[in-house]
Amino acid sequence: MTSPDAPTSPVDPTTTSAWAELEAHDLALDGSLREWFAEDPERAARFTHDAADLHVDLSKNLLTPETMRLLLQLAREVGVEERRDAMFAGAHLNTTEDRAVLHTALRRPAGSSPALTVDGQNIDEDVRGTLHRVYEFAQKVRSGQWTGITGKRIETVVNIGIGGSDLGPVMVYEALKPHAQDGLTARFLSNIDPTDAYETTRGLDPETTLVIVASKTFTTLETLTNARLVRSWLLDGLRESAGLTVEQEKEAVAKHFVAVSTALDKVEEFGIDPENAFGFWNWVGGRYSVDSAIGTVLATVLGPDVFEELLAGFHAMDQHFATAPAEQNVPLLMGLTNIWNVNFLDAETHAVLPYSQYLHRFPAYLQQLTMESNGKAVRWDGSLATTETGEVFWGEPGTNGQHAFYQLIHQGTRVIPADFIAFATPDHALADGEQDVHELFLANFFAQTKALAFGKTAEEVRAEGTEGALVAAREFSGDRPTTSIMAPKLTPSVLGQLIALYEHITFVQGTVWGINSFDQWGVELGKQLAKDLAGAVGGDEAKIAAEDSSTEGLIRYYRQHREG
Ligand code: F6P
């Protein structure tokens, strides 16, 4: 397969005939979810689709079949399917870095034919080769063949990374915790706040700790600082507990530190043996990398079989996105629904509410995936975006959120589209007397989307005996858009499907907006300024005085109040 060219310039969505029709349709749109459900007994079936093991019901969104028809026309006019095909084939869609975008290649099954060759690289061979090395390493740790320098079995794997080198691994680890091998746990260190390094290493035995330094670039300040802190902690600990000598330090680092990076030369400079490093490639974005060697911590603690199942789930959703007809293509339909909500209903945020405690880090993971990808005002040809772009993603697991912020979703003045996620079978079925607790949990899941969609009218409130001003306070407008996503169980495969679903939704939205969803220049300025400010923070008077008055005042406050 050859490398196709990236499309040269984005189609301005606002110039399409679909956009004009959607605007007119928006103004003319009449009715409510109550009415639409009453008029059309097929509405739920019409808007519900399966993608691999996911069952997705879009019917409680504020749209009609005509809305969806126009949104699909919009997708055709801006070329979503063509760009999707170009991405899968290895086109350089990441224009600002002139890179292919091939996270989908990370989960192609072994032996896929024909092999994927892009820019002269046999991608399948490289991906499978690296996975093989990761799995070999993981098995050695799991079996006890790989030990620390004192011969003790590894009990804790500390993953040091930030952003995509942390959020994906920690989210998947938390989601699939029941699969962790007995006697083996993972911890995650990301923040440069020294408290994080202190708390992450607290109580650990250096002799049984293995550290994975995960950084795509191997230049990230937080990760390298934390890696040095943990290296000192480890060597100090080994000196104390095992009498480690200076001569043994190199061996100790080799036994207790491995790395994951695209920059293997920098790994070596840091002092980690390249033999103990796992690579990936610049065509994998950080936030799209949990299924690359960045998942080494997962393959080690959860096991290669679990990791393979996760990859198979990703691939199942890739296949669906690549081949399902547009009218049933779930990532496409969900991405277009988001476009409708953001660009026509003026939604600014998007809640993701997993009814699964194991998915408690999923919203945080999605924040990087969606907001680092589509939080941009410039299109891939350098021109300004012509519409609002990237919504703010946020969320917490239900039912905790119900007792915190759902008030605003139910009765506030803003439109907050929300994705509700739940599983038929729990990981731990518990009963409260006769009551199956998971059923109680799911009753909440079903109740929330019902309340948001259909609300409660003033008449219904009065019929319950409420009168006066309290009627308005107890009324629910309804017509608050939600999407329900269900699956049989939170298996590794289902988790892979969910992650890939959101990757592709992000892609669809980015394509409609004309955005390169694969770069992140917006994080650079802050990084640069943090480096520049180091002198002033450290007390260089001339540098402090040269700052703007606000920054100067804040630094002076810090210097006056810092103890120790
Ligand atoms: O600062 C943003 C970012 O570049 C993310 O895109 C990335 O996931 C994270 O930093 C960590 O980068 P690295 O894996 O290179 O350390």
Side-chain angles (χ1 to χ4, degrees), residues 80-107:
V80 172
E81 286 177 324
E82 288 79 2
R83 194 156 182 268
R84 170 202 64 193
D85 295 344
M87 174 177 75
F88 275 91
H92 284 210
L93 296 192
N94 182 351
T95 43
T96 60
E97 295 173 302
D98 192 18
R99 290 175 183 170
V101 174
L102 275 171
H103 44 278
T104 52
L106 295 168
R107 51 258 192 162

mmCIF file of all heavy atoms in Angstrom, residues 80-107:
data_model
loop_
_atom_site.group_PDB
_atom_site.id
_atom_site.type_symbol
_atom_site.label_atom_id
_atom_site.label_comp_id
_atom_site.label_asym_id
_atom_site.label_seq_id
_atom_site.Cartn_x
_atom_site.Cartn_y
_atom_site.Cartn_z
ATOM 1 N N VAL A 80 -15.819 13.561 5.234
ATOM 2 C CA VAL A 80 -15.393 12.806 6.426
ATOM 3 C C VAL A 80 -14.921 11.406 6.030
ATOM 4 O O VAL A 80 -13.858 10.948 6.482
ATOM 5 C CB VAL A 80 -16.533 12.710 7.476
ATOM 6 C CG1 VAL A 80 -16.140 11.757 8.604
ATOM 7 C CG2 VAL A 80 -16.860 14.084 8.045
ATOM 8 N N GLU A 81 -15.680 10.734 5.185
ATOM 9 C CA GLU A 81 -15.305 9.346 4.868
ATOM 10 C C GLU A 81 -13.985 9.282 4.090
ATOM 11 O O GLU A 81 -13.148 8.409 4.347
ATOM 12 C CB GLU A 81 -16.442 8.661 4.107
ATOM 13 C CG GLU A 81 -17.594 8.329 5.054
ATOM 14 C CD GLU A 81 -18.804 7.700 4.365
ATOM 15 O OE1 GLU A 81 -19.104 8.078 3.227
ATOM 16 O OE2 GLU A 81 -19.435 6.830 4.990
ATOM 17 N N GLU A 82 -13.787 10.217 3.186
ATOM 18 C CA GLU A 82 -12.513 10.235 2.426
ATOM 19 C C GLU A 82 -11.336 10.451 3.390
ATOM 20 O O GLU A 82 -10.305 9.806 3.285
ATOM 21 C CB GLU A 82 -12.492 11.371 1.383
ATOM 22 C CG GLU A 82 -13.388 11.160 0.186
ATOM 23 C CD GLU A 82 -14.866 11.464 0.496
ATOM 24 O OE1 GLU A 82 -15.172 11.880 1.633
ATOM 25 O OE2 GLU A 82 -15.719 11.239 -0.387
ATOM 26 N N ARG A 83 -11.524 11.381 4.324
ATOM 27 C CA ARG A 83 -10.418 11.678 5.250
ATOM 28 C C ARG A 83 -10.189 10.500 6.198
ATOM 29 O O ARG A 83 -9.057 10.187 6.563
ATOM 30 C CB ARG A 83 -10.743 12.960 6.034
ATOM 31 C CG ARG A 83 -9.545 13.533 6.757
ATOM 32 C CD ARG A 83 -9.704 15.016 7.002
ATOM 33 N NE ARG A 83 -8.524 15.563 7.651
ATOM 34 C CZ ARG A 83 -8.381 15.674 8.962
ATOM 35 N NH1 ARG A 83 -9.354 15.292 9.765
ATOM 36 N NH2 ARG A 83 -7.269 16.170 9.471
ATOM 37 N N ARG A 84 -11.269 9.842 6.604
ATOM 38 C CA ARG A 84 -11.134 8.633 7.424
ATOM 39 C C ARG A 84 -10.296 7.596 6.677
ATOM 40 O O ARG A 84 -9.341 7.032 7.234
ATOM 41 C CB ARG A 84 -12.522 8.065 7.723
ATOM 42 C CG ARG A 84 -12.513 6.693 8.354
ATOM 43 C CD ARG A 84 -13.837 5.980 8.145
ATOM 44 N NE ARG A 84 -14.092 5.713 6.727
ATOM 45 C CZ ARG A 84 -15.265 5.324 6.223
ATOM 46 N NH1 ARG A 84 -16.313 5.182 6.996
ATOM 47 N NH2 ARG A 84 -15.394 5.085 4.912
ATOM 48 N N ASP A 85 -10.629 7.364 5.414
ATOM 49 C CA ASP A 85 -9.890 6.358 4.647
ATOM 50 C C ASP A 85 -8.423 6.765 4.513
ATOM 51 O O ASP A 85 -7.523 5.928 4.588
ATOM 52 C CB ASP A 85 -10.521 6.179 3.261
ATOM 53 C CG ASP A 85 -11.935 5.597 3.366
ATOM 54 O OD1 ASP A 85 -12.276 5.075 4.450
ATOM 55 O OD2 ASP A 85 -12.683 5.690 2.370
ATOM 56 N N ALA A 86 -8.200 8.061 4.333
ATOM 57 C CA ALA A 86 -6.817 8.550 4.205
ATOM 58 C C ALA A 86 -6.053 8.315 5.505
ATOM 59 O O ALA A 86 -4.882 7.926 5.502
ATOM 60 C CB ALA A 86 -6.825 10.029 3.835
ATOM 61 N N MET A 87 -6.730 8.531 6.640
ATOM 62 C CA MET A 87 -6.068 8.299 7.932
ATOM 63 C C MET A 87 -5.661 6.831 8.073
ATOM 64 O O MET A 87 -4.501 6.532 8.384
ATOM 65 C CB MET A 87 -7.004 8.684 9.081
ATOM 66 C CG MET A 87 -6.435 8.331 10.462
ATOM 67 S SD MET A 87 -7.480 8.862 11.827
ATOM 68 C CE MET A 87 -8.805 7.675 11.770
ATOM 69 N N PHE A 88 -6.605 5.933 7.805
ATOM 70 C CA PHE A 88 -6.301 4.498 7.947
ATOM 71 C C PHE A 88 -5.158 4.084 7.018
ATOM 72 O O PHE A 88 -4.421 3.156 7.316
ATOM 73 C CB PHE A 88 -7.546 3.658 7.633
ATOM 74 C CG PHE A 88 -8.473 3.476 8.809
ATOM 75 C CD1 PHE A 88 -9.512 4.364 9.045
ATOM 76 C CD2 PHE A 88 -8.312 2.419 9.693
ATOM 77 C CE1 PHE A 88 -10.374 4.202 10.137
ATOM 78 C CE2 PHE A 88 -9.171 2.250 10.783
ATOM 79 C CZ PHE A 88 -10.208 3.146 10.999
ATOM 80 N N ALA A 89 -5.045 4.763 5.873
ATOM 81 C CA ALA A 89 -4.022 4.367 4.892
ATOM 82 C C ALA A 89 -2.674 5.034 5.148
ATOM 83 O O ALA A 89 -1.691 4.702 4.493
ATOM 84 C CB ALA A 89 -4.517 4.715 3.487
ATOM 85 N N GLY A 90 -2.615 5.959 6.101
ATOM 86 C CA GLY A 90 -1.312 6.538 6.459
ATOM 87 C C GLY A 90 -1.014 7.891 5.851
ATOM 88 O O GLY A 90 0.150 8.304 5.798
ATOM 89 N N ALA A 91 -2.043 8.622 5.400
ATOM 90 C CA ALA A 91 -1.797 9.972 4.875
ATOM 91 C C ALA A 91 -1.274 10.878 6.001
ATOM 92 O O ALA A 91 -1.586 10.657 7.172
ATOM 93 C CB ALA A 91 -3.091 10.548 4.317
ATOM 94 N N HIS A 92 -0.506 11.875 5.620
ATOM 95 C CA HIS A 92 0.069 12.790 6.611
ATOM 96 C C HIS A 92 -0.983 13.830 7.030
ATOM 97 O O HIS A 92 -0.890 15.005 6.688
ATOM 98 C CB HIS A 92 1.314 13.468 6.052
ATOM 99 C CG HIS A 92 2.493 12.558 6.048
ATOM 100 N ND1 HIS A 92 3.799 12.984 6.189
ATOM 101 C CD2 HIS A 92 2.564 11.200 5.952
ATOM 102 C CE1 HIS A 92 4.616 11.942 6.154
ATOM 103 N NE2 HIS A 92 3.889 10.848 6.008
ATOM 104 N N LEU A 93 -1.973 13.372 7.793
ATOM 105 C CA LEU A 93 -3.045 14.284 8.214
ATOM 106 C C LEU A 93 -2.559 15.261 9.276
ATOM 107 O O LEU A 93 -3.152 16.313 9.480
ATOM 108 C CB LEU A 93 -4.233 13.497 8.777
ATOM 109 C CG LEU A 93 -4.989 12.562 7.839
ATOM 110 C CD1 LEU A 93 -6.288 12.106 8.489
ATOM 111 C CD2 LEU A 93 -5.289 13.202 6.501
ATOM 112 N N ASN A 94 -1.504 14.887 9.975
ATOM 113 C CA ASN A 94 -0.929 15.810 10.956
ATOM 114 C C ASN A 94 -0.020 16.753 10.186
ATOM 115 O O ASN A 94 1.189 16.555 10.077
ATOM 116 C CB ASN A 94 -0.166 15.028 12.023
ATOM 117 C CG ASN A 94 0.422 15.942 13.091
ATOM 118 O OD1 ASN A 94 0.405 17.169 12.956
ATOM 119 N ND2 ASN A 94 0.946 15.342 14.135
ATOM 120 N N THR A 95 -0.655 17.802 9.626
ATOM 121 C CA THR A 95 0.051 18.670 8.672
ATOM 122 C C THR A 95 1.138 19.506 9.337
ATOM 123 O O THR A 95 2.196 19.697 8.757
ATOM 124 C CB THR A 95 -0.958 19.612 7.994
ATOM 125 O OG1 THR A 95 -1.860 20.105 8.999
ATOM 126 C CG2 THR A 95 -1.755 18.897 6.923
ATOM 127 N N THR A 96 0.903 19.988 10.557
ATOM 128 C CA THR A 96 1.902 20.882 11.151
ATOM 129 C C THR A 96 3.175 20.139 11.534
ATOM 130 O O THR A 96 4.220 20.748 11.739
ATOM 131 C CB THR A 96 1.361 21.611 12.406
ATOM 132 O OG1 THR A 96 0.992 20.611 13.368
ATOM 133 C CG2 THR A 96 0.183 22.501 12.076
ATOM 134 N N GLU A 97 3.084 18.828 11.664
ATOM 135 C CA GLU A 97 4.289 18.059 11.989
ATOM 136 C C GLU A 97 4.652 17.111 10.836
ATOM 137 O O GLU A 97 5.575 16.308 10.967
ATOM 138 C CB GLU A 97 4.074 17.281 13.296
ATOM 139 C CG GLU A 97 3.890 18.218 14.485
ATOM 140 C CD GLU A 97 3.510 17.496 15.785
ATOM 141 O OE1 GLU A 97 2.475 16.807 15.793
ATOM 142 O OE2 GLU A 97 4.263 17.625 16.759
ATOM 143 N N ASP A 98 3.898 17.218 9.756
ATOM 144 C CA ASP A 98 4.106 16.383 8.565
ATOM 145 C C ASP A 98 4.219 14.892 8.942
ATOM 146 O O ASP A 98 5.187 14.217 8.601
ATOM 147 C CB ASP A 98 5.359 16.844 7.802
ATOM 148 C CG ASP A 98 5.426 16.185 6.423
ATOM 149 O OD1 ASP A 98 4.386 15.675 5.944
ATOM 150 O OD2 ASP A 98 6.528 16.164 5.834
ATOM 151 N N ARG A 99 3.204 14.419 9.641
ATOM 152 C CA ARG A 99 3.229 13.021 10.105
ATOM 153 C C ARG A 99 1.942 12.295 9.720
ATOM 154 O O ARG A 99 0.871 12.892 9.709
ATOM 155 C CB ARG A 99 3.331 12.966 11.626
ATOM 156 C CG ARG A 99 4.667 13.408 12.146
ATOM 157 C CD ARG A 99 4.651 13.446 13.657
ATOM 158 N NE ARG A 99 5.929 13.948 14.145
ATOM 159 C CZ ARG A 99 6.174 14.281 15.397
ATOM 160 N NH1 ARG A 99 5.211 14.174 16.304
ATOM 161 N NH2 ARG A 99 7.353 14.713 15.760
ATOM 162 N N ALA A 100 2.095 11.002 9.517
ATOM 163 C CA ALA A 100 0.914 10.149 9.375
ATOM 164 C C ALA A 100 0.230 10.038 10.738
ATOM 165 O O ALA A 100 0.819 10.368 11.779
ATOM 166 C CB ALA A 100 1.327 8.779 8.871
ATOM 167 N N VAL A 101 -0.998 9.556 10.722
ATOM 168 C CA VAL A 101 -1.805 9.424 11.943
ATOM 169 C C VAL A 101 -2.285 7.976 11.975
ATOM 170 O O VAL A 101 -3.291 7.630 11.388
ATOM 171 C CB VAL A 101 -2.993 10.402 11.872
ATOM 172 C CG1 VAL A 101 -3.932 10.183 13.041
ATOM 173 C CG2 VAL A 101 -2.495 11.842 11.835
ATOM 174 N N LEU A 102 -1.527 7.131 12.644
ATOM 175 C CA LEU A 102 -1.774 5.699 12.448
ATOM 176 C C LEU A 102 -2.019 4.914 13.733
ATOM 177 O O LEU A 102 -1.677 3.732 13.808
ATOM 178 C CB LEU A 102 -0.588 5.091 11.687
ATOM 179 C CG LEU A 102 -0.693 5.234 10.165
ATOM 180 C CD1 LEU A 102 0.604 4.810 9.494
ATOM 181 C CD2 LEU A 102 -1.857 4.408 9.633
ATOM 182 N N HIS A 103 -2.644 5.572 14.724
ATOM 183 C CA HIS A 103 -2.918 4.788 15.951
ATOM 184 C C HIS A 103 -3.753 3.550 15.620
ATOM 185 O O HIS A 103 -3.658 2.555 16.317
ATOM 186 C CB HIS A 103 -3.590 5.647 17.019
ATOM 187 C CG HIS A 103 -4.684 6.521 16.520
ATOM 188 N ND1 HIS A 103 -4.435 7.730 15.922
ATOM 189 C CD2 HIS A 103 -6.021 6.355 16.513
ATOM 190 C CE1 HIS A 103 -5.590 8.270 15.568
ATOM 191 N NE2 HIS A 103 -6.561 7.457 15.904
ATOM 192 N N THR A 104 -4.544 3.611 14.550
ATOM 193 C CA THR A 104 -5.348 2.424 14.202
ATOM 194 C C THR A 104 -4.460 1.239 13.800
ATOM 195 O O THR A 104 -4.900 0.088 13.890
ATOM 196 C CB THR A 104 -6.326 2.740 13.057
ATOM 197 O OG1 THR A 104 -5.582 3.313 11.984
ATOM 198 C CG2 THR A 104 -7.412 3.705 13.503
ATOM 199 N N ALA A 105 -3.226 1.533 13.379
ATOM 200 C CA ALA A 105 -2.326 0.435 12.998
ATOM 201 C C ALA A 105 -1.795 -0.312 14.215
ATOM 202 O O ALA A 105 -1.333 -1.452 14.104
ATOM 203 C CB ALA A 105 -1.154 0.987 12.178
ATOM 204 N N LEU A 106 -1.884 0.323 15.385
ATOM 205 C CA LEU A 106 -1.345 -0.311 16.596
ATOM 206 C C LEU A 106 -2.155 -1.535 16.992
ATOM 207 O O LEU A 106 -1.703 -2.355 17.779
ATOM 208 C CB LEU A 106 -1.363 0.688 17.768
ATOM 209 C CG LEU A 106 -0.464 1.907 17.605
ATOM 210 C CD1 LEU A 106 -0.793 2.949 18.673
ATOM 211 C CD2 LEU A 106 1.008 1.504 17.723
ATOM 212 N N ARG A 107 -3.391 -1.604 16.497
ATOM 213 C CA ARG A 107 -4.252 -2.714 16.926
ATOM 214 C C ARG A 107 -4.672 -3.590 15.774
ATOM 215 O O ARG A 107 -5.653 -4.318 15.869
ATOM 216 C CB ARG A 107 -5.445 -2.176 17.710
ATOM 217 C CG ARG A 107 -6.226 -1.064 17.059
ATOM 218 C CD ARG A 107 -5.913 0.305 17.609
ATOM 219 N NE ARG A 107 -6.920 1.264 17.127
ATOM 220 C CZ ARG A 107 -7.152 2.434 17.664
ATOM 221 N NH1 ARG A 107 -6.414 2.874 18.651
ATOM 222 N NH2 ARG A 107 -8.095 3.229 17.205
#
